[in-house]
Amino acid sequence: AQSVAQPEDQVNVAEGNPLTVKCTYSVSGNPYLFWYVQYPNRGLQFLLKYITGDNLVKGSYGFEAEFNKSQTSFHLKKPSALVSDSALYFCAVRDLDNAGNMLTFGGGTRLMVKP
Amino acid sequence: DAGITQSPRYKITETGRQVTLMCHQTWSHSYMFWYRQDLGHGLRLIYYSAAADITDKGEVPDGYVVSRSKTENFPLTLESATRSQTSVYFCASSETGVAGTGELFFGEGSRLTVL
């Protein structure tokens, strides 16, 4: 079975400071990993993904994520946070070898960026 | 405009009533999905469809029925609504399935309250 854990319900950061939103995963095969963002009263929007290749993935709005196979982690990062980055962030995984079209989401982390 | 639309956006119903949530996409994506979003659970897959007339169960299918007679539509029916089905429901579509990148495009959600 595949699973995703987002250990922090909320992350608080000051505007201009770097931010990290944590994600760890568990799959039996090779993972496809994703980050999505949800703004209030909206659907989820794709941010970035890791399939293969470079462990540092760059995505939309200046976000990036680092794939670490040994730690089974895929943390979301941004060098300088903006107030407009405040939203709910979801990590998701799909086991390429075993789960068909099942994309498993974490419970979400609320990011609060304060001016 | 191209996109994925859900209706109704808000629905209040009573226990035991039948409710249908509609989902329509204009991209001609092969894959469509229904998720429910609950506090503490993130998003959980209810059903998905790989093409017209092909549907499959997700993680939490009990109490729900889906159909897909046309590629662009994927309605979700609660045949006898229960309070535990109070949730926000998201429809999503994807151009590719197992062989693809798995990026999902989400609708804006349907908030269902069962009294």
Side-chain angles (χ1 to χ4, degrees):
Chain A
Q2 58 189 38
S3 65
V4 178
Q6 294 182 242
E8 303 154 316
D9 290 336
Q10 183 161 317
V11 170
N12 298 311
V13 65
E15 188 174 32
N17 283 0
L19 69 88
T20 299
V21 182
K22 296 180 180 177
C23 171
T24 58
Y25 67 91
S26 174
V27 296
S28 55
N30 291 302
Y32 276 179
L33 291 156
F34 303 83
W35 277 101
Y36 284 82
V37 60
Q38 185 182 28
Y39 298 101
N41 298 314
R42 303 297 299 274
L44 279 70
Q45 298 175 29
F46 170 78
L47 266 183
L48 51 79
K49 64 189 176 190
Y50 171 83
I51 301 175
T52 60
D54 194 346
N55 289 342
L56 185 64
V57 178
K58 294 188 183 297
S60 306
Y61 312 120
F63 283 92
E64 58 189 26
E66 186 169 11
F67 172 65
N68 187 317
K69 188 173 184 178
S70 63
Q71 297 186 2
T72 61
S73 66
F74 190 56
H75 300 332
L76 181 70
K77 300 181 179 183
K78 188 174 182 181
S80 179
L82 300 173
V83 173
S84 58
D85 292 331
S86 299
L88 191 56
Y89 290 81
F90 290 94
C91 182
V93 67
R94 192 173 88 209
D95 187 334
L96 176 60
D97 302 320
N98 296 299
N101 280 292
M102 295 280 203
L103 188 64
T104 298
F105 286 84
T109 298
R110 186 166 300 282
L111 175 66
M112 299 289 291
V113 182
K114 298 184 178 180
Chain B
D1 288 341
I4 183 165
T5 56
Q6 295 183 231
S7 62
R9 292 292 311 280
Y10 302 92
K11 176 74 175 178
I12 299 174
T13 191
E14 295 177 339
T15 301
R17 290 192 179 269
Q18 183 179 85
V19 176
T20 296
L21 306 180
M22 304 300 293
C23 180
H24 175 78
Q25 54 109 350
T26 59
W27 290 303
S28 299
H29 285 170
S30 295
Y31 290 82
M32 295 187 75
F33 307 81
W34 275 107
Y35 286 88
R36 59 178 290 174
Q37 183 180 26
D38 303 290
L39 194 64
H41 290 282
L43 274 79
R44 292 180 290 176
L45 182 64
I46 304 170
Y47 270 96
Y48 70 96
S49 168
D53 297 322
I54 301 174
T55 62
D56 210 345
K57 295 179 180 179
E59 182 183 357
V60 289
D62 292 344
Y64 303 95
V65 175
V66 293
S67 61
R68 196 162 175 213
S69 58
K70 294 183 178 181
T71 299
E72 61 267 29
N73 297 324
F74 191 40
L76 176 73
T77 298
L78 289 67
E79 292 192 309
S80 179
T82 65
R83 289 197 180 94
S84 65
Q85 293 178 308
T86 293
S87 185
V88 181
Y89 291 86
F90 286 98
C91 180
S93 69
S94 175
E95 187 175 20
T96 58
V98 175
T101 62
E103 177 182 344
L104 301 179
F105 295 85
F106 284 83
E108 296 200 331
S110 294
R111 184 177 294 275
L112 176 66
T113 301
V114 183
L115 302 177

